[in-house]
Coordinates of all heavy atoms in Angstrom, one line a residue:
P1 N 22.4 31.8 4.9 CA 23.2 32.5 5.8 C 24.6 31.9 6.0 O 24.7 30.7 5.7 CB 22.4 32.5 7.1 CG 21.2 31.6 6.9 CD 21.2 31.2 5.5
Y2 N 25.5 32.7 6.4 CA 26.9 32.2 6.6 C 26.9 31.1 7.7 O 26.2 31.2 8.7 CB 27.8 33.4 7.1 CG 29.2 33.0 7.1 CD1 30.0 33.0 5.9 CD2 29.8 32.5 8.2 CE1 31.3 32.6 5.9 CE2 31.2 32.2 8.2 CZ 31.9 32.2 7.1 OH 33.2 31.8 7.1
G3 N 27.6 30.0 7.4 CA 27.6 28.9 8.3 C 26.7 27.8 7.9 O 26.6 26.8 8.6
Y4 N 25.9 28.0 6.9 CA 24.9 27.0 6.4 C 25.0 26.8 4.9 O 25.5 27.7 4.2 CB 23.5 27.4 6.8 CG 23.3 27.6 8.2 CD1 23.5 28.8 8.9 CD2 22.8 26.5 9.0 CE1 23.3 28.9 10.3 CE2 22.6 26.6 10.3 CZ 22.8 27.8 11.0 OH 22.6 27.9 12.3
F5 N 24.5 25.7 4.4 CA 24.3 25.5 3.0 C 22.9 25.0 2.8 O 22.2 24.4 3.7 CB 25.3 24.6 2.4 CG 25.2 23.2 2.8 CD1 24.6 22.2 2.0 CD2 25.7 22.7 4.0 CE1 24.4 20.9 2.3 CE2 25.6 21.4 4.4 CZ 24.9 20.5 3.5
L6 N 22.4 25.2 1.6 CA 21.0 24.7 1.2 C 21.2 23.3 0.6 O 21.9 23.1 -0.4 CB 20.4 25.6 0.2 CG 19.7 26.8 0.7 CD1 19.2 27.7 -0.4 CD2 18.5 26.5 1.6
E7 N 20.5 22.3 1.2 CA 20.5 21.0 0.7 C 19.2 20.7 0.0 O 18.1 21.0 0.6 CB 20.8 20.0 1.9 CG 20.8 18.5 1.4 CD 21.1 17.6 2.5 OE1 21.0 17.9 3.7 OE2 21.3 16.4 2.2
K8 N 19.2 20.1 -1.1 CA 18.0 19.8 -1.8 C 17.6 18.4 -1.3 O 18.4 17.4 -1.4 CB 18.2 19.7 -3.4 CG 18.5 21.1 -3.9 CD 18.8 21.0 -5.4 CE 19.2 22.3 -6.0 NZ 19.5 22.2 -7.4
V9 N 16.4 18.3 -0.8 CA 15.8 17.1 -0.3 C 14.4 16.9 -0.9 O 13.8 17.8 -1.5 CB 15.7 17.1 1.2 CG1 17.1 17.1 1.8 CG2 14.9 18.2 1.7
T10 N 13.9 15.7 -0.7 CA 12.5 15.4 -1.1 C 11.7 15.2 0.1 O 12.1 14.4 1.0 CB 12.5 14.2 -2.0 OG1 13.4 14.4 -3.1 CG2 11.1 13.9 -2.6
D11 N 10.5 15.8 0.2 CA 9.7 15.6 1.4 C 8.9 14.3 1.3 O 9.1 13.6 0.3 CB 8.7 16.8 1.6 CG 7.7 17.0 0.5 OD1 7.5 16.0 -0.3 OD2 7.0 18.1 0.5
E12 N 8.1 14.0 2.3 CA 7.4 12.7 2.4 C 6.4 12.5 1.2 O 6.0 11.4 0.9 CB 6.7 12.6 3.7 CG 5.6 13.6 4.0 CD 6.2 14.9 4.6 OE1 7.4 15.0 4.9 OE2 5.4 15.9 4.7
R13 N 6.0 13.6 0.5 CA 5.1 13.5 -0.6 C 5.9 13.4 -2.0 O 5.3 13.4 -3.0 CB 4.2 14.6 -0.7 CG 3.2 14.6 0.5 CD 2.3 15.8 0.3 NE 1.3 15.8 1.5 CZ 0.4 16.7 1.7 NH1 0.4 17.8 0.8 NH2 -0.4 16.7 2.7
G14 N 7.2 13.5 -1.9 CA 8.0 13.4 -3.1 C 8.3 14.8 -3.7 O 8.8 14.9 -4.8
N15 N 7.9 15.8 -3.0 CA 8.1 17.2 -3.5 C 9.5 17.6 -3.2 O 10.0 17.5 -2.0 CB 7.1 18.2 -2.9 CG 5.7 17.8 -3.3 OD1 5.4 17.4 -4.4 ND2 4.8 17.8 -2.3
P16 N 10.2 18.3 -4.1 CA 11.5 18.8 -3.8 C 11.4 20.0 -2.9 O 10.5 20.8 -3.0 CB 12.1 19.2 -5.2 CG 10.9 19.4 -6.1 CD 9.8 18.5 -5.5
K17 N 12.4 20.1 -2.0 CA 12.5 21.3 -1.2 C 13.9 21.5 -0.7 O 14.8 20.6 -1.0 CB 11.5 21.2 0.0 CG 11.9 20.2 1.1 CD 10.9 20.3 2.2 CE 11.5 19.8 3.5 NZ 10.6 20.0 4.6
R18 N 14.2 22.6 -0.1 CA 15.6 22.9 0.3 C 15.6 23.1 1.8 O 14.6 23.7 2.4 CB 16.1 24.2 -0.3 CG 16.3 24.0 -1.8 CD 16.8 25.3 -2.4 NE 17.0 25.1 -3.9 CZ 17.2 26.1 -4.7 NH1 17.3 27.3 -4.2 NH2 17.3 25.8 -6.0
V19 N 16.6 22.6 2.5 CA 16.7 22.6 3.9 C 18.1 23.2 4.3 O 19.1 22.8 3.6 CB 16.6 21.2 4.5 CG1 16.8 21.2 6.0 CG2 15.3 20.6 4.1
L20 N 18.1 24.1 5.2 CA 19.4 24.6 5.7 C 20.1 23.6 6.6 O 19.5 23.0 7.5 CB 19.2 25.9 6.6 CG 18.9 27.2 5.8 CD1 18.7 28.3 6.8 CD2 20.1 27.6 4.9
R21 N 21.4 23.4 6.2 CA 22.2 22.4 7.0 C 23.5 23.2 7.4 O 24.0 24.0 6.6 CB 22.6 21.2 6.1 CG 21.5 20.4 5.6 CD 21.0 19.5 6.6 NE 20.0 18.6 6.0 CZ 18.9 18.2 6.6 NH1 18.6 18.6 7.8 NH2 18.1 17.4 5.9
P22 N 24.0 22.9 8.6 CA 25.3 23.5 9.0 C 26.4 23.1 8.1 O 26.5 22.0 7.6 CB 25.5 23.0 10.4 CG 24.2 22.4 10.8 CD 23.5 22.0 9.6
L23 N 27.3 24.1 7.8 CA 28.5 23.9 7.0 C 29.6 24.0 8.0 O 30.0 25.1 8.5 CB 28.6 25.0 5.9 CG 29.7 24.8 4.9 CD1 29.6 23.5 4.2 CD2 29.7 26.0 3.9
E24 N 30.2 22.9 8.4 CA 31.1 22.8 9.6 C 32.2 23.8 9.5 O 32.6 24.4 10.5 CB 31.5 21.4 9.9 CG 32.3 21.3 11.2 CD 31.5 21.8 12.4 OE1 30.3 21.6 12.5 OE2 32.2 22.4 13.3
E25 N 32.9 23.9 8.4 CA 34.1 24.8 8.3 C 33.7 26.3 8.5 O 34.5 27.0 9.0 CB 34.8 24.6 7.0 CG 34.0 24.8 5.7 CD 33.4 23.6 5.1 OE1 33.3 22.6 5.8 OE2 33.1 23.6 3.9
E26 N 32.5 26.6 8.2 CA 32.0 28.0 8.5 C 31.4 28.1 9.9 O 31.4 29.1 10.5 CB 31.0 28.5 7.5 CG 31.6 28.7 6.1 CD 30.7 29.2 5.1 OE1 29.5 29.4 5.3 OE2 31.1 29.5 3.9
A27 N 30.8 27.0 10.4 CA 30.2 27.0 11.7 C 31.2 27.3 12.8 O 31.0 27.9 13.8 CB 29.5 25.7 12.0
V28 N 32.5 26.8 12.5 CA 33.6 27.0 13.5 C 33.8 28.6 13.6 O 34.0 29.1 14.7 CB 34.9 26.3 13.0 CG1 36.1 26.8 13.8 CG2 34.7 24.8 13.0
I29 N 33.7 29.2 12.5 CA 34.0 30.7 12.5 C 32.8 31.4 13.1 O 33.0 32.4 13.9 CB 34.2 31.2 11.0 CG1 35.4 30.5 10.4 CG2 34.3 32.7 11.0 CD1 35.6 30.6 8.9
V30 N 31.6 30.9 12.9 CA 30.4 31.5 13.5 C 30.5 31.4 15.0 O 30.3 32.4 15.8 CB 29.1 30.8 13.0 CG1 27.9 31.3 13.8 CG2 28.9 31.1 11.6
R31 N 30.9 30.2 15.5 CA 31.1 30.1 17.0 C 32.2 31.0 17.5 O 32.0 31.6 18.6 CB 31.4 28.6 17.3 CG 30.2 27.7 17.1 CD 30.5 26.3 17.7 NE 31.4 25.5 16.9 CZ 31.1 24.8 15.9 NH1 29.8 24.7 15.5 NH2 32.0 24.1 15.2
R32 N 33.2 31.2 16.7 CA 34.3 32.1 17.2 C 33.8 33.5 17.2 O 34.1 34.3 18.2 CB 35.5 32.0 16.2 CG 36.6 32.9 16.6 CD 37.8 32.6 15.8 NE 38.9 33.5 16.2 CZ 39.9 33.8 15.4 NH1 40.0 33.4 14.2 NH2 40.9 34.6 15.9
I33 N 33.0 33.9 16.2 CA 32.4 35.3 16.3 C 31.6 35.5 17.5 O 31.7 36.5 18.2 CB 31.6 35.5 15.0 CG1 32.5 35.7 13.8 CG2 30.7 36.8 15.1 CD1 31.8 35.7 12.4
F34 N 30.7 34.5 17.8 CA 29.9 34.6 19.0 C 30.7 34.7 20.3 O 30.4 35.4 21.2 CB 28.9 33.5 19.1 CG 27.6 33.8 18.3 CD1 27.5 33.5 17.0 CD2 26.6 34.5 18.9 CE1 26.4 33.8 16.2 CE2 25.5 34.9 18.2 CZ 25.4 34.5 16.8
E35 N 31.8 33.9 20.3 CA 32.7 33.9 21.5 C 33.3 35.3 21.7 O 33.3 35.8 22.8 CB 33.7 32.8 21.4 CG 34.6 32.7 22.6 CD 35.6 31.6 22.5 OE1 35.2 30.5 22.2 OE2 36.8 31.8 22.9
L36 N 33.8 35.8 20.6 CA 34.5 37.1 20.7 C 33.4 38.2 21.1 O 33.8 39.1 21.8 CB 35.1 37.5 19.3 CG 36.3 36.7 18.9 CD1 36.7 37.0 17.5 CD2 37.5 37.1 19.8
Y37 N 32.2 38.0 20.6 CA 31.2 39.0 20.9 C 30.7 38.9 22.4 O 30.5 39.9 23.0 CB 30.0 38.8 19.9 CG 28.9 39.8 20.0 CD1 29.0 41.1 19.6 CD2 27.7 39.4 20.6 CE1 28.0 42.0 19.7 CE2 26.6 40.3 20.7 CZ 26.8 41.6 20.3 OH 25.8 42.5 20.4
T38 N 30.4 37.7 22.8 CA 29.8 37.5 24.1 C 30.8 37.4 25.3 O 30.6 38.0 26.4 CB 29.0 36.2 24.2 OG1 29.8 35.1 23.9 CG2 27.8 36.3 23.2
K39 N 32.0 36.8 25.1 CA 32.9 36.6 26.2 C 33.9 37.8 26.2 O 34.3 38.2 27.3 CB 33.7 35.3 26.0 CG 32.8 34.1 26.3 CD 33.5 32.8 26.2 CE 32.6 31.6 26.5 NZ 33.3 30.4 26.3
N40 N 34.4 38.2 25.0 CA 35.4 39.3 25.0 C 34.8 40.6 24.9 O 35.4 41.7 25.0 CB 36.4 39.1 23.9 CG 37.2 37.8 24.0 OD1 36.7 36.7 23.7 ND2 38.4 37.9 24.5
L41 N 33.5 40.7 24.6 CA 32.7 41.9 24.4 C 33.2 42.8 23.3 O 33.2 44.0 23.4 CB 32.6 42.7 25.8 CG 32.0 41.9 26.9 CD1 32.0 42.7 28.2 CD2 30.6 41.4 26.6
Y42 N 33.7 42.2 22.3 CA 34.2 42.9 21.1 C 33.0 43.3 20.2 O 32.0 42.6 20.2 CB 35.2 42.1 20.3 CG 36.5 41.9 20.9 CD1 37.1 40.7 20.8 CD2 37.2 42.9 21.6 CE1 38.4 40.5 21.4 CE2 38.4 42.7 22.1 CZ 39.0 41.5 22.0 OH 40.2 41.3 22.6
G43 N 33.1 44.4 19.5 CA 32.1 44.8 18.6 C 32.4 44.3 17.2 O 33.5 43.6 17.0
G44 N 31.6 44.6 16.2 CA 31.8 44.2 14.8 C 33.1 44.6 14.2 O 33.7 43.8 13.5
V45 N 33.5 45.8 14.4 CA 34.8 46.3 13.8 C 36.0 45.5 14.4 O 36.8 45.0 13.6 CB 35.0 47.8 14.1 CG1 36.3 48.3 13.7 CG2 33.9 48.6 13.4
E46 N 36.0 45.3 15.7 CA 37.1 44.6 16.3 C 37.1 43.1 15.8 O 38.2 42.6 15.5 CB 37.0 44.6 17.8 CG 37.2 46.0 18.4 CD 36.0 46.8 18.5 OE1 34.9 46.4 18.1 OE2 36.1 47.9 19.0
I47 N 36.0 42.5 15.8 CA 35.9 41.1 15.4 C 36.4 41.0 13.9 O 37.1 40.1 13.6 CB 34.5 40.5 15.6 CG1 34.2 40.5 17.1 CG2 34.4 39.1 14.9 CD1 32.7 40.1 17.4
A48 N 35.9 41.9 13.0 CA 36.3 41.8 11.6 C 37.8 42.0 11.5 O 38.5 41.3 10.7 CB 35.6 42.9 10.9
K49 N 38.4 42.9 12.3 CA 39.9 43.1 12.3 C 40.6 41.8 12.7 O 41.6 41.4 12.1 CB 40.3 44.2 13.2 CG 40.0 45.6 12.6 CD 40.4 46.7 13.6 CE 40.1 48.0 13.1 NZ 40.5 49.1 14.0
I50 N 40.1 41.1 13.7 CA 40.7 39.9 14.2 C 40.7 38.8 13.1 O 41.6 38.1 12.9 CB 40.1 39.4 15.5 CG1 40.4 40.4 16.7 CG2 40.5 38.0 15.9 CD1 39.6 40.2 17.9
L51 N 39.5 38.6 12.6 CA 39.3 37.6 11.6 C 40.2 37.8 10.3 O 40.9 36.9 9.8 CB 37.8 37.5 11.1 CG 36.9 37.0 12.2 CD1 35.4 37.1 11.7 CD2 37.2 35.6 12.6
N52 N 40.2 39.0 9.9 CA 41.1 39.4 8.7 C 42.5 39.2 9.0 O 43.3 38.7 8.2 CB 40.8 40.8 8.2 CG 39.4 40.9 7.6 OD1 38.9 40.0 7.0 ND2 38.7 42.0 7.8
A53 N 43.0 39.6 10.2 CA 44.4 39.5 10.6 C 44.8 38.0 10.7 O 45.9 37.7 10.4 CB 44.6 40.2 11.9
D54 N 43.8 37.2 11.1 CA 44.1 35.7 11.2 C 44.0 35.0 9.9 O 44.1 33.8 9.8 CB 43.2 35.1 12.2 CG 43.5 35.5 13.6 OD1 44.6 36.1 13.9 OD2 42.7 35.2 14.6
G55 N 43.6 35.7 8.8 CA 43.5 35.1 7.5 C 42.2 34.3 7.3 O 42.2 33.4 6.5
V56 N 41.2 34.7 8.1 CA 39.9 34.0 8.0 C 39.0 34.9 7.1 O 38.7 36.0 7.4 CB 39.2 33.8 9.4 CG1 37.9 33.2 9.2 CG2 40.1 33.0 10.3
F57 N 38.7 34.3 5.9 CA 37.9 35.1 5.0 C 36.5 34.5 4.8 O 36.2 33.4 5.2 CB 38.6 35.2 3.6 CG 40.0 35.8 3.7 CD1 41.1 35.1 3.7 CD2 40.1 37.2 3.9 CE1 42.4 35.7 3.8 CE2 41.3 37.8 4.1 CZ 42.5 37.1 4.0
R58 N 35.7 35.3 4.2 CA 34.3 34.9 3.9 C 34.3 34.1 2.6 O 35.3 33.8 2.0 CB 33.4 36.1 3.7 CG 33.3 36.9 5.0 CD 32.6 38.3 4.9 NE 31.6 38.4 3.8 CZ 31.5 39.3 3.0 NH1 32.4 40.3 3.0 NH2 30.5 39.4 2.1
R59 N 33.1 33.7 2.2 CA 33.0 32.9 1.0 C 33.5 33.7 -0.2 O 33.5 34.9 -0.2 CB 31.5 32.6 0.7 CG 30.9 31.6 1.7 CD 29.5 31.3 1.4 NE 28.9 30.5 2.5 CZ 27.7 30.4 2.8 NH1 26.8 31.2 2.1 NH2 27.2 29.7 3.7
Q60 N 33.8 33.0 -1.3 CA 34.2 33.7 -2.5 C 33.0 34.4 -3.1 O 31.9 33.9 -3.1 CB 34.7 32.7 -3.5 CG 36.1 32.1 -3.1 CD 36.6 31.2 -4.2 OE1 35.9 30.7 -5.0 NE2 37.9 31.0 -4.2
N61 N 33.3 35.5 -3.7 CA 32.3 36.3 -4.5 C 32.0 35.5 -5.7 O 32.8 35.0 -6.5 CB 32.9 37.6 -4.9 CG 31.9 38.5 -5.6 OD1 31.4 38.1 -6.6 ND2 31.8 39.7 -5.1
K62 N 30.7 35.2 -5.9 CA 30.3 34.3 -7.0 C 30.6 34.9 -8.4 O 30.9 34.2 -9.3 CB 28.8 34.1 -6.9 CG 28.4 33.2 -5.7 CD 26.9 33.0 -5.7 CE 26.6 32.2 -4.5 NZ 25.1 31.9 -4.3
S63 N 30.6 36.2 -8.5 CA 30.8 36.8 -9.8 C 32.3 37.0 -10.1 O 32.7 36.8 -11.3 CB 30.1 38.1 -10.0 OG 30.5 39.0 -9.0
T64 N 33.1 37.3 -9.1 CA 34.5 37.5 -9.4 C 35.4 36.3 -9.0 O 36.6 36.2 -9.4 CB 35.0 38.7 -8.6 OG1 34.9 38.5 -7.2 CG2 34.2 40.0 -8.9
G65 N 34.9 35.5 -8.1 CA 35.7 34.3 -7.6 C 36.7 34.7 -6.5 O 37.5 33.9 -6.1
K66 N 36.7 36.0 -6.1 CA 37.7 36.4 -5.1 C 37.1 36.2 -3.7 O 35.9 36.3 -3.5 CB 37.9 37.9 -5.3 CG 38.6 38.3 -6.5 CD 38.9 39.8 -6.6 CE 39.6 40.2 -7.9 NZ 39.8 41.6 -8.0
T67 N 38.0 35.8 -2.8 CA 37.6 35.7 -1.4 C 37.4 37.1 -0.8 O 38.1 38.1 -1.3 CB 38.7 35.0 -0.5 OG1 39.9 35.6 -0.7 CG2 38.8 33.5 -0.9
M68 N 36.5 37.2 0.1 CA 36.1 38.5 0.6 C 36.6 38.7 2.1 O 36.5 37.7 2.8 CB 34.6 38.8 0.5 CG 34.2 38.7 -1.0 SD 32.4 39.0 -1.2 CE 31.8 37.4 -0.6
R69 N 37.0 39.8 2.4 CA 37.4 40.1 3.8 C 36.2 40.4 4.6 O 35.1 40.7 4.1 CB 38.4 41.3 3.8 CG 39.7 41.1 3.1 CD 40.6 42.3 3.0 NE 40.9 42.8 4.3 CZ 41.9 42.4 5.1 NH1 42.6 41.4 4.7 NH2 42.1 43.0 6.3
W70 N 36.3 40.3 5.9 CA 35.2 40.6 6.8 C 35.1 42.1 7.1 O 36.2 42.7 7.2 CB 35.5 39.9 8.2 CG 35.2 38.4 8.1 CD1 36.1 37.4 7.9 CD2 34.0 37.8 8.3 NE1 35.5 36.2 7.9 CE2 34.2 36.4 8.1 CE3 32.7 38.2 8.5 CZ2 33.2 35.4 8.2 CZ3 31.7 37.3 8.6 CH2 31.9 35.9 8.5
G71 N 33.9 42.6 7.2 CA 33.7 43.9 7.6 C 32.7 43.9 8.8 O 32.1 42.8 9.1
S72 N 32.5 45.0 9.4 CA 31.7 45.0 10.6 C 30.2 44.6 10.3 O 29.5 44.0 11.0 CB 31.7 46.4 11.3 OG 31.3 47.4 10.4
V73 N 29.8 45.0 9.1 CA 28.4 44.8 8.7 C 28.2 43.2 8.6 O 27.2 42.7 9.1 CB 28.0 45.5 7.4 CG1 26.7 45.0 6.8 CG2 28.0 47.0 7.6
E74 N 29.1 42.6 7.9 CA 29.0 41.1 7.8 C 29.1 40.4 9.1 O 28.4 39.4 9.3 CB 30.1 40.6 6.8 CG 30.0 41.0 5.4 CD 30.4 42.5 5.2 OE1 31.2 43.0 6.0 OE2 30.0 43.1 4.2
V75 N 29.9 40.9 10.0 CA 30.0 40.3 11.3 C 28.7 40.4 12.1 O 28.2 39.5 12.7 CB 31.2 40.9 12.2 CG1 31.1 40.5 13.6 CG2 32.5 40.5 11.6
L76 N 28.1 41.6 12.0 CA 26.9 41.9 12.7 C 25.7 41.1 12.1 O 24.8 40.7 12.8 CB 26.6 43.4 12.8 CG 27.6 44.2 13.6 CD1 27.3 45.7 13.5 CD2 27.6 43.8 15.0
R77 N 25.8 40.8 10.8 CA 24.8 40.0 10.2 C 24.8 38.6 10.8 O 23.8 37.9 11.0 CB 24.9 39.9 8.7 CG 24.4 41.1 8.0 CD 24.4 40.8 6.5 NE 24.1 42.1 5.8 CZ 24.8 42.6 4.8 NH1 25.8 41.9 4.2 NH2 24.4 43.7 4.2
V78 N 26.0 38.0 11.0 CA 26.1 36.7 11.6 C 25.6 36.7 13.0 O 24.9 35.8 13.4 CB 27.6 36.3 11.6 CG1 27.8 35.0 12.4 CG2 28.1 36.0 10.1
I79 N 25.9 37.8 13.7 CA 25.4 37.8 15.1 C 23.9 38.0 15.2 O 23.2 37.3 16.0 CB 26.1 39.0 15.9 CG1 27.6 38.7 16.0 CG2 25.4 39.3 17.2 CD1 28.4 39.9 16.5
E80 N 23.3 38.7 14.3 CA 21.9 39.0 14.3 C 21.1 37.8 13.7 O 19.9 37.7 14.0 CB 21.5 40.3 13.6 CG 22.1 41.5 14.3 CD 21.9 42.8 13.5 OE1 21.5 42.7 12.3 OE2 22.3 43.8 14.0
N81 N 21.7 37.0 12.8 CA 21.0 35.9 12.1 C 21.9 34.6 12.2 O 22.4 34.2 11.2 CB 20.8 36.3 10.7 CG 20.0 35.3 10.0 OD1 19.2 34.5 10.6 ND2 20.1 35.2 8.7
P82 N 22.0 34.0 13.4 CA 22.8 32.9 13.6 C 22.4 31.7 12.8 O 21.9 30.9 12.6 CB 22.8 32.6 15.1 CG 21.6 33.3 15.6 CD 21.3 34.4 14.7

């Protein structure tokens, strides 16, 4: 999910596994989304417009390498899956 990365670790038995860890540069944006949603009572469309206007983009598309703009669906995914 946005705001996290998968870290490869080894459990106590020596088995490889992956653990979600916060990705601080994205966690800042996640907190901002929640603040806009809870304190300012903005919806997904308004939050996406604010982030895009401020030049805050999502991760790069893996296949094209292009940075992606925020849309209401992506904003609501962050809200629904913190």
Side-chain angles (χ1 to χ4, degrees):
Y2 189 82
Y4 297 90
F5 70 98
L6 280 174
E7 181 179 11
K8 294 178 183 179
V9 297
T10 305
D11 67 14
E12 60 278 351
R13 294 183 180 175
N15 299 316
K17 68 179 209 174
R18 295 181 182 167
V19 177
L20 280 177
R21 301 279 189 219
L23 187 59
E24 188 53 37
E25 56 265 23
E26 290 181 358
V28 170
I29 299 165
V30 170
R31 287 191 287 274
R32 184 172 179 203
I33 289 170
F34 274 92
E35 183 175 316
L36 291 168
Y37 184 72
T38 59
K39 292 183 181 176
N40 298 82
L41 304 178
Y42 290 139
V45 172
E46 292 87 357
I47 295 171
K49 285 180 183 178
I50 291 168
L51 294 173
N52 291 326
D54 289 349
V56 176
F57 298 106
R58 295 170 33 226
R59 291 181 185 153
Q60 288 186 339
N61 182 305
K62 290 180 183 180
S63 60
T64 66
K66 294 181 181 179
T67 52
M68 298 179 289
R69 296 175 58 84
W70 286 94
S72 60
V73 171
E74 292 78 22
V75 169
L76 294 175
R77 279 190 192 134
V78 170
I79 292 168
E80 293 171 356
N81 186 23

